[in-house]
Amino acid sequence: MARLLTILLTWPVAHLSVAVLTITESTGHQLARCIRDAPVWTRRRWTNDMVRRTADAVDDVSRRTGEPVSKMLALIKVESRFNPRDISGRNRDKSRDYGLTQQNSYYVQTRCRRVLRRRCSRRDLLDPVVSVRLMGATFRECR
């Protein structure tokens, strides 16, 4: 039986200070619920296979880094509103942020070489599984 919890996470992230998620016990259910609550144009970009693979990646990164799944989903919600193909406008340093977790183009190739053992193409950066794995590398860098 799935238990519903409401988690209030307060973050000093960009211009948003609070992200609220309603979650269930399963990461797949959590992700599906978040995507269902996302804007229509974002929901159309997700397939069932993408949701399953991304939920598996979130579980894996959560297990490896010790970060709660709810925190990771809150970050994704704030960064890209669950749009896996989100590309930001130019930042002040002329870099761009790509994908579900908004990986910065200035730092991303270093993380790609360490996590994937190769350079990332633009297509790789817009893959939600790769984006989540790179978010895990970001968590490890911040420790």
Side-chain angles (χ1 to χ4, degrees):
M1 179 167 97
R3 233 181 34 198
L4 292 180
L5 302 170
T6 300
I7 294 182
L8 179 64
L9 300 170
T10 305
W11 294 83
V13 177
H15 57 280
L16 299 174
S17 60
V18 177
V20 179
L21 289 177
T22 302
I23 63 170
T24 62
E25 292 174 343
S26 158
T27 304
H29 286 107
Q30 292 177 52
L31 185 59
R33 178 180 301 277
C34 291
I35 293 167
R36 188 189 69 213
D37 295 341
V40 173
W41 52 269
T42 298
R43 287 194 307 256
R44 291 184 186 138
R45 296 172 186 242
W46 286 89
T47 63
N48 289 335
D49 183 54
M50 280 175 62
V51 172
R52 183 186 52 74
R53 289 184 313 109
T54 305
D56 290 344
V58 168
D59 273 339
D60 183 51
V61 169
S62 175
R63 195 172 45 254
R64 288 174 188 235
T65 63
E67 300 292 342
V69 170
S70 57
K71 177 181 177 180
M72 295 169 61
L73 293 178
L75 280 170
I76 292 170
K77 181 177 182 178
V78 169
E79 292 290 341
S80 67
R81 295 188 303 173
F82 292 96
N83 180 2
R85 294 183 179 94
D86 192 21
I87 301 174
S88 73
R90 295 259 180 217
N91 296 323
R92 287 184 188 177
D93 62 355
K94 307 294 186 229
S95 64
R96 287 193 173 214
D97 300 330
Y98 291 94
L100 196 61
T101 60
Q102 291 293 281
Q103 294 293 320
N104 187 280
S105 60
Y106 185 75
Y107 303 103
V108 75
Q109 291 306 329
T110 305
R111 287 187 194 119
C112 279
R113 279 188 232 107
R114 193 171 59 248
V115 173
L116 304 175
R117 310 271 191 258
R118 62 179 168 83
R119 287 184 55 83
C120 284
S121 66
R122 186 174 178 184
R123 183 178 176 145
D124 289 332
L125 296 176
L126 300 179
D127 179 3
V129 174
V130 172
S131 190
V132 168
R133 289 182 64 196
L134 293 174
M135 180 173 60
T138 306
F139 284 147
R140 284 189 293 275
E141 287 173 7
C142 293
R143 291 192 175 187

